[in-house]
Amino acid sequence: MTNHNGAHPSRWQNWQRSIYRFRQSGLSIAGLAIVLVLMLIAVAGSWIVPFPEHISGGINTAARFKPPSSLYWFGTNELGQDVFSLVMAGARVSLIAGFGVVMIAAIIGGLIGALAGYAGGWIDDVLMRLTDLMLTLPSLILAMAIAAALGAGLDNMVFAISMSWWPGFARLMRGEVIAKKEDLFVQAARALGASDSRILLRHVLPNVMSPIIIKMSLDMGFAILAVAALGFIGIGVKPPTPEWGSLLSLARGYLPDYWWTAIFPGLAIFFAVLGFNLLGDGLRDLFDPKARR
Amino acid sequence: MIRFIIRRLVLLVPVFIGLTLLVFTISHILPGDPVKLAAGPQASAEEIASLTREFGMDRPLPQQYWHYASGLLQGDWGQSVLTRRPVAADLKIYLPATLELVFAAIILAIVIGIPAGLLSAITANRWPDYLIRILSLASIAMPRFFLALVLQLVFAMSLAWLPLNGRFPIIDLPPPTVTGMLTLDSLLAGDWLAFTTSCEHLLMPALAMSLSPLATITRMMRASTLDVLQQDFVLTERALGLSQSLIILKYVLRNAFSSTLTVIGLYIGWLLSGSVLVETVFDWPGIGLYATKAIVTQDFMPVMGVTLSIGFIFVLVNLAIDLLYGVINPKVRYQ
């Protein structure tokens, strides 16, 4: 990192300081570790699980409801499927779905918020009243209703949840854009004759991305939770998709005797949400000095 | 103050109109034909047409909205296509059950969260503090429906200390309905046995619901207590020989009220909407289960009714909280 002007060394030092602080926080490191393991499982899942055939719906009725053992680490379920393999495969479903939710929500909310903040006036009024109204609606029930109307399928479920998720992003984006649009470099661009779309896309948006990215990482855990909740209610994905919430919901009927069919998918949801929450908290502390204590 | 309240109440009118418009629009944009589903797969075209006429769904949308909105004002919240029951009558039965659950969850969160937050702040950076902070991090990540299942597994199925599900034993006589909340009704009737029975049924679902707000109250109490303890006037008082517990009683309790209010405002919508999950596990006959059944059958009048009533409660509770802030803290000005 050589530097020719005064801006670079301080930025680089800030990064170093941030990384140092992040490493000092044990909880952030734990969160990062959980998330990395999850991602690894999500990528390598179907190659490293002991019974890949069970993920695609294969059954083994001779081995129904076997308790956890060295062969079946998490036991087997009512179809004789290896719960460990199913839970591992669920990591990919949950990560993709959770990421899909925050991504779509950030894009829709970001566009609405940026438009409202940049345009101001009646456009701002209309869009923000709509956002406020959306925030008063019960998000889980709204997502359930949309997902049920669209029909089963992971993509419909992701879309349904993000339809109830975007208002938070819209509010955040509007505030950031309003704060930035009067900045000197934006006025300079306008004085040079740049068009509105160019100013918004090239000058304003790149400078408001970090709070958006922090919110995305903070929301990841809760998005995974929402996906599992819909799966648990039985709206959205259908078996044999190994989704953690629907695995848990199926296992409900076999309690208390076959507790392992419920406990392990439940713990998987818990650790995934915990990991993303810890990582998100850590990232927010790095990039948002105001939130730091 | 009075003028402020009146202005806020007047502002509620456009909010309520907006809510009904939004909910009506969403439910009509969504694909799905509730009439066809209700009529059954064998229904002829004429049967479907007559059902559509009966429910007024053949009329133009603005007319349908006008009919719905003016009906709401007169207490007519529409009718379920499937059961033919009026939605308002159903809400009258199911809403109190959910509200009872939400109140109990908030009470648990306050009763456990405030002392826990205080303890955490007083023992800052020692083991009780670490334990409480780790537990609150875990509580926020814990899915309500999973915790509900674990509670059931341990306290109902294995230990048999608490009833597995439901609000009240079917074979027993429930107290006469006044509020629709069994705990309150049994107290009003002076029926001690019914009160303990309904409390036993309420405990696990309320605990499963309360975890997130509990963790949030704990964290806020910890932060605000630490903040107060570092203020100059507190240092002065301590230097003058006042005991720590007296200082905490004097200054920290006000924080307890405001953090409780904040958490209620933050979580009221979350609790009402998320009750779906806990009600599913415990077969708790509230609006969550009611909405789920209606959603699965795409019976959209009940879904609109539940969504609107939660939206109205959310708006009203947050207005009440805004007003209460000013009562407990004169520094908050009404404008």
Side-chain angles (χ1 to χ4, degrees):
Chain A
M1 278 292 141
T2 52
N3 37 73
H4 304 287
N5 55 45
H8 268 142
S10 74
R11 180 172 289 181
W12 175 238
Q13 276 166 6
N14 273 342
W15 267 99
Q16 274 184 317
R17 216 173 293 141
S18 298
I19 292 167
Y20 173 76
R21 256 201 323 266
F22 190 84
R23 282 171 54 186
Q24 289 302 102
S25 150
L27 288 174
S28 308
I29 295 292
L32 182 66
I34 296 175
V35 170
L36 285 178
V37 169
L38 273 177
M39 286 178 167
L40 192 73
I41 295 173
V43 172
S46 42
W47 293 301
I48 55 173
V49 298
F51 297 93
E53 68 275 15
H54 291 169
I55 296 171
S56 45
I59 56 174
N60 176 14
T61 41
R64 298 175 73 225
F65 292 126
K66 292 269 186 273
S69 63
S70 56
L71 178 61
Y72 304 110
W73 289 3
F74 292 175
T76 62
N77 66 6
E78 74 281 6
L79 299 170
Q81 293 167 324
D82 177 39
V83 177
F84 180 68
S85 302
L86 295 180
V87 169
M88 297 277 274
R92 180 181 297 177
V93 180
S94 286
L95 282 193
I96 291 177
F99 185 72
V101 168
V102 290
M103 201 66 205
I104 298 174
I107 290 173
I108 297 176
L111 284 176
I112 290 177
L115 184 62
Y118 192 77
W122 67 269
I123 299 179
D124 184 21
D125 278 342
V126 169
L127 290 177
M128 282 302 116
R129 289 300 82 73
L130 177 69
T131 307
D132 289 347
L133 283 176
M134 286 296 292
L135 281 169
T136 61
L137 293 185
S139 53
L140 184 63
I141 291 178
L142 184 65
M144 281 166 63
I146 299 176
L150 295 176
L154 196 64
D155 42 354
N156 284 342
M157 179 161 119
V158 167
F159 177 76
I161 299 174
S162 36
M163 282 299 104
S164 68
W165 211 281
W166 62 263
F169 281 99
R171 274 195 162 176
L172 179 67
M173 184 60 117
R174 173 180 176 270
E176 293 293 326
V177 167
I178 286 179
K180 276 280 173 300
K181 86 174 171 185
E182 298 307 326
D183 267 10
L184 212 54
F185 66 93
V186 176
Q187 291 187 355
R190 191 172 294 136
L192 287 171
S195 67
D196 277 340
S197 61
R198 185 180 165 88
I199 292 174
L200 195 56
L201 293 176
R202 292 294 299 275
H203 298 281
V204 177
L205 282 188
N207 283 295
V208 299
M209 281 324 282
S210 67
I212 299 288
I213 290 169
I214 291 168
K215 182 168 167 58
M216 286 173 74
S217 74
L218 277 168
D219 280 9
M220 249 318 260
F222 296 112
I224 290 177
L225 199 55
V227 170
L230 252 66
F232 183 75
I233 297 282
I235 292 172
V237 292
K238 290 270 177 289
T241 313
E243 197 281 322
W244 289 334
S246 55
L247 290 179
L248 190 57
S249 157
L250 283 175
R252 256 186 83 199
Y254 305 111
L255 290 176
D257 297 336
Y258 311 115
W259 52 267
W260 54 86
T261 53
I263 292 297
F264 293 108
L267 283 177
I269 305 170
F270 169 71
F271 277 110
V273 178
L274 184 68
F276 277 104
N277 283 0
L278 293 178
L279 180 66
D281 281 346
L283 289 178
R284 183 195 49 202
D285 288 352
L286 286 194
F287 294 107
D288 182 9
K290 273 171 287 178
R292 207 181 297 138
R293 251 189 291 110
Chain B
M1 175 78 185
I2 302 284
R3 274 187 57 196
F4 175 77
I5 295 177
I6 291 173
R7 227 191 55 178
R8 289 291 304 263
L9 285 175
V10 171
L11 279 178
L12 284 182
V13 175
V15 172
F16 283 173
I17 294 175
L19 267 179
T20 55
L21 252 176
L22 183 64
V23 168
F24 185 85
T25 312
I26 292 174
S27 59
H28 283 81
I29 289 175
L30 291 177
D33 192 343
V35 174
K36 211 178 249 172
L37 268 169
Q42 274 97 37
S44 64
E46 292 88 61
E47 279 172 315
I48 290 174
S50 86
L51 259 181
T52 310
R53 244 192 327 277
E54 191 191 326
F55 285 96
M57 292 175 199
D58 53 343
R59 283 179 288 180
L61 278 185
Q63 229 179 63
Q64 280 189 48
Y65 171 72
W66 180 248
H67 181 74
Y68 183 68
S70 53
L72 284 179
L73 285 178
Q74 295 154 20
D76 172 17
W77 290 51
Q79 195 185 16
S80 155
V81 179
L82 211 65
T83 63
R84 304 284 181 111
R85 281 177 53 82
V87 173
D90 282 341
L91 285 177
K92 220 176 190 167
I93 299 172
Y94 297 120
L95 194 57
T98 299
L99 287 178
E100 185 175 37
L101 203 54
V102 169
F103 286 147
I106 290 175
I107 291 171
L108 276 178
I110 295 170
V111 169
I112 306 173
I114 286 178
L118 268 180
L119 180 66
S120 190
I122 295 169
T123 62
N125 297 322
R126 280 181 282 138
W127 70 264
D129 178 37
Y130 285 132
L131 186 69
I132 290 171
R133 280 160 74 189
I134 287 175
L135 280 179
S136 11
L137 279 171
S139 303
I140 287 180
M142 186 75 176
R144 278 162 282 180
F145 46 95
F146 180 48
L147 176 71
L149 276 183
V150 173
L151 287 174
Q152 263 190 341
L153 186 61
V154 174
F155 294 105
M157 292 170 176
S158 304
L159 298 170
W161 288 354
L162 290 168
L164 182 63
N165 53 28
R167 282 181 85 194
F168 208 76
I170 315 164
I171 45 167
D172 289 356
L173 196 68
T177 306
V178 184
T179 59
M181 298 185 203
L182 288 176
T183 44
L184 270 183
D185 284 353
S186 49
L187 276 184
L188 287 175
D191 187 344
W192 187 248
L193 187 70
F195 178 69
T196 50
T197 313
S198 42
C199 280
E200 280 171 2
H201 283 81
L202 188 58
L203 188 59
M204 284 200 295
L207 194 63
M209 295 250 285
S210 73
L211 218 56
S212 261
L214 195 163
T216 310
I217 288 188
T218 306
R219 290 169 103 173
M220 290 178 68
M221 267 311 281
R222 178 181 185 275
S224 61
T225 308
L226 282 178
D227 198 42
V228 167
L229 290 181
Q230 282 159 5
Q231 299 279 335
D232 286 344
F233 60 84
V234 170
L235 286 178
T236 314
E237 294 209 328
R238 199 180 289 165
L240 289 171
L242 247 72
S243 73
Q244 171 115 340
S245 46
L246 201 66
I247 293 174
I248 284 174
L249 266 180
K250 235 173 117 180
Y251 296 112
V252 173
L253 276 186
R254 179 184 291 165
N255 288 331
F257 285 118
S258 61
S259 51
T260 302
L261 280 184
T262 311
V263 167
I264 293 175
L266 275 175
Y267 275 101
I268 186 76
W270 185 90
L271 286 167
L272 284 166
S273 162
S275 67
V276 174
L277 299 164
V278 173
E279 287 177 11
T280 303
V281 176
F282 289 103
D283 280 330
W284 188 268
I287 50 170
L289 271 189
Y290 178 60
T292 310
K293 269 179 212 146
I295 284 171
V296 171
T297 52
Q298 302 195 358
D299 188 0
F300 61 71
M301 281 293 176
V303 184
M304 284 163 72
V306 170
T307 313
L308 275 180
S309 49
I310 293 179
F312 290 164
I313 294 173
F314 180 89
V315 172
L316 289 174
V317 166
N318 275 288
L319 173 63
I321 285 171
D322 280 357
L323 297 177
L324 279 173
Y325 271 136
V327 174
I328 58 161
N329 188 353
K331 278 187 276 181
V332 178
R333 288 270 167 80
Y334 300 113
Q335 281 154 4

